[in-house]
Amino acid sequence: MGVVMRDYLRLFIGGKDIRRTFFHITFDVLALFCSFVMAIVLYGKTSSIGSFDGLLVIGVSVLAALCVLVLSKFYRIIVRYITGRAVIPASGAMLVSSLVAYFLSVFLDSGILFPEIFSYALFGFMSILGFRYIYRDIIFRKSVKDEIRVVIYGAGEAGRQFLNSLNSATKYSAIAFVDDELELQGHSVSGVKVFDPKSMVWLVKQFNVDVVALVIPSISPVRRREILNDLESLDAEIRVVPGLVDLMSKSIETSDAKPISVYDILGRVPVPPRPDLISRSVKGKIVMVTGAGGSIGSEICRQIVRNQPLMLILFDLSEYSLYSIDQELDRYCSETNSKIDIIPILGSVMDRLKVLSILKQFKVHTLFHAAAYKHVPLVEQNIAEGVKNNVFGTRAVVEASVEAGVRIVTVISTDKAVRPTNIMGASKRMAEFVCSSLVGDHQTKISMVRFGNVLGSSGSVVPHFEKQILRGGPVTVTHPEITRYFMTVKEAAQLVMQASSMALGGEVYLLDMGDPVKIVDLAISMIKLHGKTPFIVDVSNAPCPAEHVPIVFTGLKQGEKIYEELLVNNDAKTTQHPLIMSAVEVGPDRVTITKYLKLLEKACSDNNVEDIKEILTISGTGLNHDGNIIDYSLRKKI
């Protein structure tokens, strides 16, 4: 019976620890009683305390305040996390209590007048709230060693929410706000002074600031990049709260301040998609994705299910990758009540008969071919397998699609296919030739999509740098002049889907990705924004100072280019999307490509690396692998 009663009390009063809750209630009752007595003594009405009517007024008033506190769930507030919002239930309780005291005193003629009641309300309010704030700030905060000192950049609503979260966490101490808004500078927000951003260096040095938190969720990527440039020189770690869209559904917490990401460093504004183009080739359609478990393929799948296909077929050789994306999409469909058939199928893209069987069985309308070997050093060490998967896997998928009557086929390519210096790029260029040769008098629209480095994809340089920085270095960069184009994985997937909607057959699509990024500059920015100092190790071999993070140039890897390109020539044209371009690049005709593929297939089967290189070179891919002269002994067979 005692357990049942305790459960009912917990449900009604609130709080998991019922003993702690009763302690707080007992304290409040005594505090309110003493507050009323103190107010009466203050005005010399001691006779009222000893009378029955006076004690009745005090007792009923305290009980009324207690009822309001319970009903307003005041006792569910954990003292450690108490914020300014606790003022509302406390004010309501004292208002109701003082009104009850006044009307009851008038009714009983107890002699307790308005001044005493008003003073009681003030004393009571300060006692029940003051105890809790003192308990939080002294018992919790002052007992914590090694507090993390934080400056909050942004004194708006988001910054104030973040301050409340800091105040409720024992290990953080808010030193100051900084804000560009002139009207705020010099004033205090929630008890914390607002400074001009020009004072940032002084603040960090004067107060030994550990972290600067950029809490302006509505800021543009370009403006965020400008602010981060100003903060790079500070001897403090920089953290960024995500964008406004990500925080719309919740209050801002300390955990929302994340380490600097490459998205913040690049300051690049993602290219917005056109919803009509995104959905045109997938909505209500039967869609298949090869390489569905990969970093690009999985994001394409996520974008597809958001646009309501009739069915989505996931095709991948990796059991784990296929299982992971299948489970993720199943959860999404359950949570959104989407009626989409998700069908995972294990298999290789080089198995033409299996691919053909699947396409015919499910009557696939749209196919995205994302299966490929894309890691340059790995393909260099496994040339035959890389070529077989990238070239002959693509041929099997596209030929099967044409035979099965698939309406739209979009093949993922890469900027490394343009004037390639590595086997991976040359194999993808040859795959583009295969696709172009298969464009013809049939209902299948075949197109290709090229893009640069994808942020967040497997093998991306950014998480690699992140791990190296956290280890204290060295951060390894292959060449001081190496540059790359970057785009987000979401942009890449949306580009693929929009291109599929615009394709007529034979086009190569690419995204206007802005200016390329120098990789060493990216490394320097990442180091600085982790609160550390970069040190470039040059030929002089000067020793790296303590607590610096060294940057070491390791030399270009085999087949690696200093600059990447997106087009073979400059004949790109605009499309329905202003930032998506298309080009038609002429390759060998179908008869010639067939001859090259026959030779290439034998060379791969024999694992004859030299013949593979020669065929890729003379076929027109533009391969310039290692600068060696090839005798082109296979030319006579063409």
Side-chain angles (χ1 to χ4, degrees), residues 26-237:
T26 301
F27 175 85
D28 288 343
V29 168
L30 292 175
L32 292 172
F33 183 83
C34 291
S35 296
F36 217 143
V37 170
M38 188 186 307
I40 292 173
V41 170
L42 184 65
Y43 285 93
K45 301 289 185 66
T46 53
S47 59
S48 300
I49 301 173
S51 67
F52 175 79
D53 290 345
L55 290 175
L56 183 61
V57 170
I58 294 172
V60 173
S61 301
V62 170
L63 182 62
L66 189 64
C67 289
V68 174
L69 292 174
V70 170
L71 291 173
S72 62
K73 301 178 181 179
F74 184 73
Y75 295 106
R76 295 189 181 186
I77 300 173
I78 300 174
V79 174
R80 172 181 283 181
Y81 304 120
I82 193 169
T83 66
R85 294 182 179 180
V87 169
I88 296 174
S91 301
M94 296 317 302
L95 177 62
V96 171
S97 180
S98 55
L99 288 174
V100 168
Y102 178 77
F103 287 113
L104 188 60
S105 178
V106 170
F107 179 75
L108 296 176
D109 195 20
S110 65
I112 302 174
L113 303 179
F114 179 78
E116 295 95 288
I117 295 173
F118 180 77
S119 298
Y120 152 67
L122 289 179
F123 293 157
F125 178 82
M126 289 187 291
S127 62
I128 62 177
L129 273 188
F131 160 73
R132 286 166 171 81
Y133 281 115
I134 291 171
Y135 184 73
R136 183 198 68 183
D137 290 338
I138 295 180
I139 304 300
F140 282 111
R141 294 189 60 80
K142 298 306 179 184
S143 65
V144 177
K145 298 179 180 179
D146 301 323
E147 278 188 332
I148 297 174
R149 292 167 291 279
V150 182
V151 168
I152 304 172
Y153 199 122
E157 179 59 31
R160 290 192 286 272
Q161 287 186 32
F162 191 73
L163 174 64
N164 289 336
S165 183
L166 285 181
N167 287 337
S168 66
T170 58
K171 63 180 181 179
Y172 295 104
S173 176
I175 300 300
F177 281 109
V178 295
D179 201 286
D180 298 320
E181 192 68 42
L182 294 176
E183 295 178 358
L184 293 175
Q185 293 169 11
H187 298 279
S188 292
V189 174
S190 300
V192 177
K193 190 173 180 179
V194 182
F195 289 83
D196 187 302
K198 294 178 182 177
S199 305
M200 184 66 80
V201 174
W202 176 81
L203 285 169
V204 171
K205 290 182 178 179
Q206 182 72 19
F207 297 99
N208 296 318
V209 172
D210 301 296
V211 175
V212 176
L214 181 57
V215 192
I216 317 178
S218 59
I219 198 171
S220 71
V222 174
R223 178 57 184 148
R224 182 183 288 115
R225 171 65 267 180
E226 292 173 354
I227 293 174
L228 291 176
N229 279 337
D230 295 336
L231 301 180
E232 277 186 1
S233 60
L234 297 177
D235 187 18
E237 183 179 359

Side-chain angles (χ1 to χ4, degrees), residues 393-536:
T394 300
R395 182 179 70 170
V397 169
V398 178
E399 285 183 346
S401 299
V402 172
E403 184 176 340
V406 176
R407 294 300 182 93
I408 298 172
V409 174
T410 306
V411 177
I412 312 301
S413 190
T414 171
D415 58 357
K416 294 173 178 62
V418 179
R419 284 179 272 275
T421 57
N422 52 68
I423 300 299
M424 193 283 283
S427 69
K428 295 296 284 183
R429 181 65 172 148
M430 180 63 88
E432 290 181 357
F433 288 164
V434 170
C435 293
S436 297
S437 71
L438 291 171
V439 174
D441 188 19
H442 49 70
Q443 64 180 0
T444 304
K445 297 177 182 178
I446 305 166
S447 64
M448 294 142 281
V449 180
R450 279 192 204 134
F451 41 75
N453 293 266
V454 176
L455 302 175
S457 66
S458 60
S460 172
V461 68
V462 176
H464 180 62
F465 281 174
E466 186 82 25
K467 291 176 183 177
Q468 291 180 326
I469 293 169
L470 293 176
R471 287 200 305 262
V475 174
T476 55
V477 180
T478 58
H479 192 281
E481 297 300 323
I482 194 166
T483 63
R484 290 293 181 265
Y485 291 98
F486 286 96
M487 70 191 308
T488 67
V489 67
K490 187 175 181 180
E491 281 181 293
Q494 291 173 343
L495 169 60
V496 171
M497 295 176 66
Q498 290 175 103
S500 71
S501 297
M502 295 186 289
L504 298 175
E507 304 95 336
V508 175
Y509 289 94
L510 53 140
L511 185 67
D512 182 354
M513 297 175 65
D515 297 324
V517 177
K518 208 170 184 178
I519 299 301
V520 68
D521 292 342
L522 177 64
I524 290 171
S525 292
M526 289 185 68
I527 292 170
K528 286 182 177 179
L529 293 170
H530 275 78
K532 304 177 187 297
T533 304
F535 178 84
I536 296 179

Side-chain angles (χ1 to χ4, degrees), residues 5 12 147 264 273 374 484 497 517 608:
M5 180 61 71
F12 179 67
E147 278 188 332
D264 303 312
K374 63 179 183 178
R484 290 293 181 265
M497 295 176 66
V517 177
N608 190 329

Side-chain angles (χ1 to χ4, degrees), residues 243-519:
L244 185 62
V245 174
D246 299 325
L247 298 172
M248 285 291 285
S249 60
K250 63 175 184 176
S251 297
I252 298 177
E253 304 290 343
T254 55
S255 59
D256 291 320
K258 305 296 183 184
I260 297 299
S261 73
V262 70
Y263 304 96
D264 303 312
I265 293 171
L266 296 178
R268 182 173 172 274
V269 180
V271 175
R274 274 185 44 180
D276 59 320
L277 292 177
I278 286 282
S279 63
R280 187 185 298 171
S281 61
V282 300
K283 188 171 184 179
K285 307 291 195 304
I286 297 171
V287 185
M288 177 170 167
V289 179
T290 67
S295 49
I296 301 297
S298 60
E299 182 60 30
I300 292 174
C301 292
R302 294 183 192 102
Q303 295 290 327
I304 289 171
V305 296
R306 284 170 171 79
N307 286 276
Q308 295 298 310
L310 186 64
M311 178 188 295
L312 175 58
I313 301 164
L314 313 174
F315 191 78
D316 203 290
L317 185 60
S318 167
E319 179 189 24
Y320 175 75
S321 298
L322 185 63
Y323 173 80
S324 298
I325 187 63
D326 179 43
Q327 292 296 300
E328 179 186 335
L329 297 180
D330 276 345
R331 284 194 300 273
Y332 173 83
C333 291
S334 297
E335 291 168 0
T336 59
N337 198 29
S338 299
K339 306 299 182 183
I340 304 171
D341 288 332
I342 308 290
I343 301 176
I345 300 177
L346 278 169
S348 169
V349 291
M350 288 186 285
D351 189 344
R352 183 183 184 281
L353 291 178
K354 181 165 188 174
V355 173
L356 178 61
S357 173
I358 294 167
L359 296 175
K360 285 184 174 180
Q361 177 186 348
F362 294 103
K363 296 181 174 58
V364 173
H365 179 279
T366 302
L367 184 141
F368 297 100
H369 178 51
Y373 292 150
K374 63 179 183 178
H375 296 285
V376 171
L378 199 60
V379 174
E380 290 294 328
Q381 296 174 39
N382 299 271
I383 288 176
E385 286 303 314
V387 170
K388 281 195 289 186
N389 189 73
N390 291 353
V391 176
F392 296 104
T394 300
R395 182 179 70 170
V397 169
V398 178
E399 285 183 346
S401 299
V402 172
E403 184 176 340
V406 176
R407 294 300 182 93
I408 298 172
V409 174
T410 306
V411 177
I412 312 301
S413 190
T414 171
D415 58 357
K416 294 173 178 62
V418 179
R419 284 179 272 275
T421 57
N422 52 68
I423 300 299
M424 193 283 283
S427 69
K428 295 296 284 183
R429 181 65 172 148
M430 180 63 88
E432 290 181 357
F433 288 164
V434 170
C435 293
S436 297
S437 71
L438 291 171
V439 174
D441 188 19
H442 49 70
Q443 64 180 0
T444 304
K445 297 177 182 178
I446 305 166
S447 64
M448 294 142 281
V449 180
R450 279 192 204 134
F451 41 75
N453 293 266
V454 176
L455 302 175
S457 66
S458 60
S460 172
V461 68
V462 176
H464 180 62
F465 281 174
E466 186 82 25
K467 291 176 183 177
Q468 291 180 326
I469 293 169
L470 293 176
R471 287 200 305 262
V475 174
T476 55
V477 180
T478 58
H479 192 281
E481 297 300 323
I482 194 166
T483 63
R484 290 293 181 265
Y485 291 98
F486 286 96
M487 70 191 308
T488 67
V489 67
K490 187 175 181 180
E491 281 181 293
Q494 291 173 343
L495 169 60
V496 171
M497 295 176 66
Q498 290 175 103
S500 71
S501 297
M502 295 186 289
L504 298 175
E507 304 95 336
V508 175
Y509 289 94
L510 53 140
L511 185 67
D512 182 354
M513 297 175 65
D515 297 324
V517 177
K518 208 170 184 178
I519 299 301

